[in-house]
Amino acid sequence: MTKILVVEDEAIIRTALRKLLERNKYEVSEAPSVREATGKFQLSDFELIISDLRLPGAPGTDLIKLAGEIPVLIMTSYASLRSAVDSMRMGAVDYIAKPFDHDEMVTAVKRVIGKSSAAKREQTPNTDGSKVTGMIGSSDVMKKLYSRIAKVAPTDATVLIHGETGTGKELVARSLHEQSRRHKELMISVNCAAIPETLIESELFGHEKGAFTGAASTREGLVAAADGGTLFLDEIGELPLEAQARLLRVLQEGEVRPLGSVESRKVDVRLVAATHRDLRQLAQEGKFREDLYFRIHVIQLEIPPLRERGRDILLLAEALLTRYSHQFNKPILKLSPEAIQAITTYTWPGNVRELENAMQRAVILCEDEREISHELLAIDLDLVRLDEEDDNPYFNAGSSLARSRPTHQDPPEDLSLEDYFQRFVLEHQDTMSETELAKKLGVSRKCLWERRQRFGIPRRKAGAK
């Protein structure tokens, strides 16, 4: 039987809806609030969640973030403001106005479940990241990355992985190696930024006895050690120019010559490089060899920052929560609605690595046996500053737009989504923080900022009059 979760604070409506759905052969569970729903049930166990919009504590829209790929049908008694409801849906598959007609509800449920089942049947294999070791996520940007990895991995093409610090560049490199014909051979990983400049050449290319002071014996380099396999050079932008010249010879001639040696040896290595820097810009500045740049820039894989991965943030957070709960011998903890809000509105400048640290810290310090509070995450949302604010004229608190505020009026029946958003923000921005505004509108802080910019609504800075 199809399992449905009903979240409704009014017991009469909740019971009536449960009986209606059970008559139509659905298995129904119920809860009066988001907190109880997440505390009593595993949301991934259900095929559909039906939730009232207005609930005690957290709004029903919070379930959209918590449910991941599970469809959420929103109920609302505010039928006259359907455009306002649309702005708060945040990805809900549909909504239905209360009081609802029984046939209308059953039809909506069948339609949503039918669409969800069809989408699962049509889902292409290997797009969920199952073949990318250690990577979690099903957002569109990650599916594109998985697809490119699957196409590039079987070849011997040189790959340049670009992404911010902490996004998981080595995981991508590992996946490229494991899906290649070289997977039975070694993958040698080298962090070019972690080896002193005076030692990097001997580490990579090896040296003969007596090649330099301290070279007491002959030593094979890491390039030769990777023969037949994959050489992963992380932070290749930090490689000294002399070492870059030697690496170029390895790529062009397929041979390596240790320091102090007059003979070269053939090597068969696939190079995968990674950087968070703009190598083209470095090449123009003379800090990176242009010929090496074009040699390694055969295929470029761009890893999206965590803030652009949508619901993946929650999937990652929950997976990390489970991992660290096991690691530290604690019961499986859950995120409180407030913690969910904090995680999804923070910009995560340190990306996945920062999220890992936050979740590990929260699990270690948590004294509650059920859930993680937002305080344990140590994320101060009011201190998060969007870099664009400083240079954006929309955020000039002294502008006429910043000073203008309409009088409070009941919105008209035909209010558009854009009009509703602008009216709501202008009427409440002096009394609410950005986090509170975003929560009331059912959007993330990033989305709120983007809409402010698009509609030309400035953000009032602290202390502005």
Side-chain angles (χ1 to χ4, degrees):
M1 295 176 66
T2 300
K3 298 179 68 175
I4 298 176
L5 174 62
V6 174
V7 186
E8 165 64 64
D9 58 326
E10 295 187 38
I12 295 176
I13 297 176
R14 190 170 67 244
T15 302
L17 184 53
R18 175 176 57 79
K19 291 181 178 179
L20 170 65
L21 295 173
E22 286 176 343
R23 286 199 300 270
N24 285 271
K25 309 302 181 184
Y26 295 110
E27 182 181 341
V28 182
S29 300
E30 53 184 278
S33 66
V34 172
R35 181 180 291 274
E36 189 160 335
T38 55
K40 288 177 60 177
F41 306 107
Q42 187 71 30
L43 299 186
S44 59
D45 292 339
F46 298 95
E47 280 78 25
L48 172 65
I49 298 173
I50 303 175
S51 175
D52 191 12
L53 180 63
R54 298 294 180 92
L55 293 168
T61 48
D62 276 15
L63 287 166
I64 299 169
K65 304 169 190 169
L66 290 162
E69 299 300 316
I70 308 302
V72 177
L73 177 65
I74 293 291
M75 299 183 294
T76 175
S77 58
Y78 297 89
S80 60
L81 285 176
R82 295 200 173 189
S83 58
V85 173
D86 286 342
S87 71
M88 302 178 73
R89 278 165 54 187
M90 293 177 56
V93 290
D94 207 342
Y95 73 95
I96 191 166
K98 295 193 299 184
F100 50 80
D101 178 79
H102 284 194
D103 291 338
E104 182 185 3
M105 173 61 78
V106 173
T107 300
V109 168
K110 289 181 178 178
R111 180 176 66 252
V112 170
I113 291 176
K115 286 183 178 180
S116 178
S117 299
K120 289 178 182 178
R121 288 194 301 269
E122 294 172 3
Q123 186 176 13
T124 56
N126 299 330
T127 57
D128 61 352
S130 59
K131 293 184 70 176
V132 180
T133 306
M135 299 193 78
I136 298 172
S138 57
S139 59
D140 289 342
V141 288
M142 292 304 291
K143 286 179 180 179
K144 290 179 182 177
L145 177 62
Y146 301 151
S147 177
R148 293 205 72 183
I149 290 173
K151 291 177 182 177
V152 173
T155 73
D156 275 341
T158 301
V159 180
L160 178 62
I161 303 170
H162 184 265
E164 295 179 7
T165 300
T167 50
K169 294 187 285 294
E170 186 165 355
L171 290 177
V172 173
R174 177 66 60 183
S175 182
L176 288 167
H177 174 70
E178 292 180 352
Q179 295 184 56
S180 74
R181 64 177 179 84
R182 302 170 180 267
H183 66 278
K184 293 183 179 179
E185 303 296 333
L186 288 176
M187 171 178 155
I188 302 294
S189 299
V190 183
N191 187 334
C192 299
I195 303 176
E197 187 172 333
T198 54
L199 297 177
I200 188 71
E201 287 189 73
S202 63
E203 287 291 319
L204 284 177
F205 309 108
H207 59 79
E208 294 292 319
K209 181 179 180 180
F212 53 86
T213 303
S217 61
T218 299
R219 181 176 179 181
E220 183 182 63
L222 295 174
V223 173
D227 190 18
T230 302
L231 176 66
F232 173 54
L233 296 183
D234 196 8
E235 299 302 345
I236 193 172
E238 308 301 324
L239 200 62
L241 291 172
E242 295 81 0
Q244 291 178 30
R246 286 181 173 272
L247 179 62
L248 184 62
R249 181 173 180 82
V250 172
L251 296 176
Q252 289 178 337
E253 308 298 334
E255 60 183 30
V256 60
R257 188 172 69 182
L259 296 179
S261 175
V262 295
E263 296 182 357
S264 300
R265 61 164 287 188
K266 287 290 184 180
V267 289
D268 174 25
V269 297
R270 182 193 189 174
L271 177 66
V272 177
T275 183
H276 71 282
R277 305 180 70 180
D278 185 344
L279 294 187
R280 180 184 288 275
Q281 181 65 33
L282 290 179
Q284 292 174 352
E285 295 172 358
K287 298 177 182 178
F288 195 86
R289 290 183 64 105
E290 192 172 42
D291 48 2
L292 178 59
Y293 168 73
F294 288 117
R295 186 74 188 185
I296 65 176
H297 194 262
V298 178
I299 301 289
Q300 178 164 325
L301 297 180
E302 193 75 30
I303 306 182
L306 187 56
R307 61 183 173 274
E308 295 179 4
R309 292 177 55 182
R311 295 181 183 178
D312 286 354
I313 298 175
L314 275 180
L315 294 177
L316 280 162
E318 290 169 351
L320 292 169
L321 200 56
T322 301
R323 180 205 298 178
Y324 292 128
S325 294
H326 286 305
Q327 181 177 331
F328 299 113
N329 297 317
K330 292 196 173 186
I332 302 300
L333 298 166
K334 295 184 178 181
L335 296 166
S336 69
E338 294 80 9
I340 294 289
Q341 179 72 13
I343 286 171
T344 54
T345 53
Y346 186 52
T347 56
W348 298 106
N351 293 294
V352 179
R353 187 176 295 127
E354 185 183 6
L355 178 62
E356 287 179 337
N357 294 340
M359 300 311 297
Q360 184 174 7
R361 177 173 58 247
V363 171
I364 292 173
L365 298 178
C366 183
E367 297 179 354
D368 191 325
E369 294 186 355
R370 292 184 55 207
E371 63 180 22
I372 297 290
S373 67
H374 70 284
E375 290 90 352
L376 289 176
L377 298 173
I379 299 173
D380 189 350
L381 291 175
D382 289 333
L383 295 181
V384 173
R385 180 182 62 82
L386 293 169
D387 294 336
E388 293 88 344
E389 288 183 19
D390 289 344
D391 302 318
N392 197 308
Y394 291 139
F395 290 92
N396 180 358
S399 69
S400 59
L401 279 172
R403 293 190 298 268
S404 63
R405 291 183 65 240
T407 57
H408 290 259
Q409 298 176 357
D410 292 331
E413 294 287 324
D414 59 349
L415 192 67
S416 70
L417 172 60
E418 291 80 5
D419 290 339
Y420 177 82
F421 179 89
Q422 294 180 67
R423 180 186 293 272
F424 187 90
V425 171
L426 287 169
E427 287 185 356
H428 297 91
Q429 65 178 352
D430 286 346
T431 58
M432 292 184 183
S433 67
E434 290 295 284
T435 300
E436 291 170 332
L437 278 173
K439 188 172 183 179
K440 289 293 184 182
L441 288 166
V443 298
S444 66
R445 276 175 57 104
K446 182 174 183 291
C447 180
L448 174 59
W449 177 84
E450 289 173 343
R451 291 187 182 182
R452 276 185 179 277
Q453 187 180 36
R454 186 165 73 249
F455 298 143
I457 307 173
R459 173 181 173 182
R460 279 184 173 272
K461 293 189 176 181
K465 299 296 183 182

